[in-house]
Amino acid sequence: MHAKAASRLLHHYREHARALPWRAPPGSGRQEPYRVWLSEVMLQQTTVATVTPRFLRFIERWPTIETLAAAPDEQILAEWAGLGYYARARNLIACARAIVARGGFPSSEAELRKLPGLGAYTAAAIAAIAFGEDAVPVDTNVERVVARVFGLADRTEVRAAAGAWWPVGDAGDFAQACMDLGATVCRPKAPACPYCPLRADCRAAALGTPELFPAPKARKVRPHRFGLAWWARRDDEVWLTRRPATGLLGGMAALPGPEWSDERPAANPLAVHRHGFTHFTLDLLVVRVAEPIGDGWWQPLADLADAGLPTLYRRAIEAALHAERERRLAA
DNA sequence: GATACGTGGAA
DNA sequence: TTTCCAAGTAT
């Protein structure tokens, strides 16, 4: 019964192919490892809509893993700026160089799993999609689809169920079929069950409460934090620095400033920018200083887009420039 | 197993 | 406005 359901989903996917825009259509076999690897890393916790233009720019600039591996760190980090989760970019660099050093991509899930930035999901996805291995990539879509089909509220039971359900010989297409279904029909909220090719096989749909599978995660409060950013200006330039190589926004261009704290600093800021991170909200107080503080460089305002600023600092700088204009008009 | 780690779009 | 959540990984 469940084997028939898998077959039905696979056929549905191959007829209504709406895979990732840049990926070869279903049924075309193995896909180019470099592109699969790069896109799967970009897609970690990031939507297709966000990734698509960034992925296309990346492969135009660095068409092969060799060209990417040879590029300077700062250029790759700058190209990644705005995509978030910057450890991915740092791991991407290390991973590209490790792959080139060993003479090419490993083709097995186990070997892929050893590379930096490739966890259980991504290693399985590359093995299945690029190398045709019978790997089982369980992402949040697969988890949800399997949880609902089999009526499993407990997420820890889902991985084994997926492994038992996965069709042999079609792992890559089936993974993409599940992910497309999860993204378009079997959504977290308001799933479109009437349009689902698995409706007749779905335990959660039969129970009438698909949204309870898998069980919703407990949510927690997001603390509020505060930061200072030094605003040193000269003609049409602003003083920037590079953040420490690890941790939050690690290795990225930034406005200089002290470590963030839980208390709002006593300061008279030029501008205050509020930014939501995954695990806390930050108020960044941009404060004028007469001279540059710490190591860094003068960045021409006309070339700010080339600086590779993460969104927090890009927006904070926009807010500061706006405040400067307002003050000039008021004076 | 729990936590740190970005950002943007949808409801 | 707030909350949720997205083709997760590292520690």
Side-chain angles (χ1 to χ4, degrees):
Chain A
M1 147 165 178
H2 285 121
K4 282 186 182 174
S7 178
R8 194 169 305 123
L9 175 56
L10 205 46
H11 284 113
H12 180 268
Y13 172 67
R14 285 174 171 158
E15 281 162 25
H16 310 281
R18 55 169 320 292
L20 303 173
W22 60 84
R23 206 160 273 179
S28 22
R30 303 178 184 188
Q31 316 231 353
E32 217 253 301
Y34 173 60
R35 292 185 170 218
V36 175
W37 163 70
L38 179 58
S39 57
E40 289 299 340
V41 171
M42 281 190 172
L43 284 163
Q44 290 167 2
Q45 295 290 281
T46 310
T47 60
V48 173
T50 298
V51 165
T52 299
R54 309 298 300 264
F55 170 75
L56 295 175
R57 210 176 326 166
F58 246 83
I59 58 168
E60 183 173 357
R61 185 167 180 180
W62 298 296
T64 63
I65 188 137
E66 288 79 13
T67 53
L68 182 65
D73 290 22
E74 316 81 63
Q75 288 186 18
I76 298 173
L77 291 173
E79 193 66 48
W80 196 277
L83 263 179
Y85 284 142
Y86 298 98
R88 292 185 297 169
R90 303 194 296 270
N91 286 329
L92 188 82
I93 293 168
C95 189
R97 292 174 186 163
I99 289 168
V100 169
R102 73 183 289 290
F105 275 89
S107 59
S108 75
E109 179 183 5
E111 289 299 311
L112 287 161
R113 182 66 181 78
K114 296 176 184 171
L115 292 168
L118 305 192
Y121 164 75
T122 308
I126 297 170
I129 297 168
F131 295 105
E133 185 174 320
D134 281 317
V136 182
V138 180
D139 77 323
T140 179
N141 292 293
V142 172
E143 179 184 62
R144 187 169 57 253
V145 169
V146 171
R148 287 178 179 170
V149 168
F150 293 89
L152 303 174
D154 184 349
R155 294 168 193 269
T156 62
E157 299 175 13
V158 169
R159 192 167 296 271
W165 190 38
W166 226 250
V168 173
D170 286 310
D173 278 356
F174 193 72
Q176 293 179 88
C178 280
M179 292 190 269
D180 268 12
L181 188 76
T184 59
V185 174
C186 195
R187 300 172 296 221
K189 295 177 179 174
C193 297
Y195 299 95
C196 183
L198 301 181
R199 187 179 194 186
D201 315 287
C202 182
R203 179 107 183 90
L207 291 170
T209 55
E211 295 188 19
L212 298 183
F213 299 89
K217 293 173 183 167
R219 62 175 183 279
K220 54 189 106 173
V221 293
R222 268 197 331 184
H224 204 115
R225 306 189 66 193
F226 301 88
L228 288 171
W230 307 131
W231 184 249
R233 291 271 278 104
R234 178 182 85 173
D235 301 325
D236 290 315
E237 297 175 321
V238 61
W239 186 256
L240 297 184
T241 189
R242 192 165 291 280
R243 291 178 60 88
T246 58
L248 191 74
L249 308 177
M252 300 302 290
L255 289 170
E259 290 200 11
W260 302 340
S261 66
D262 297 333
E263 304 288 331
R264 194 183 201 280
N268 181 18
L270 173 65
V272 179
H273 176 64
R274 179 161 295 178
H275 189 80
F277 289 101
T278 308
H279 48 305
F280 65 94
T281 300
L282 178 75
D283 277 359
L284 190 63
L285 283 61
V286 184
V287 176
R288 260 220 82 124
V289 291
E291 298 293 328
I293 296 177
D295 292 336
W297 68 91
W298 287 109
Q299 179 72 30
L301 293 173
D303 302 330
L304 264 184
D306 303 327
L309 289 161
T311 301
L312 165 68
Y313 290 108
R314 185 169 61 75
R315 296 257 167 85
I317 288 171
E318 286 167 5
L321 290 171
H322 181 74
E324 280 190 338
R325 281 194 296 274
E326 295 287 304
R327 286 197 178 181
R328 213 173 301 130
L329 290 174

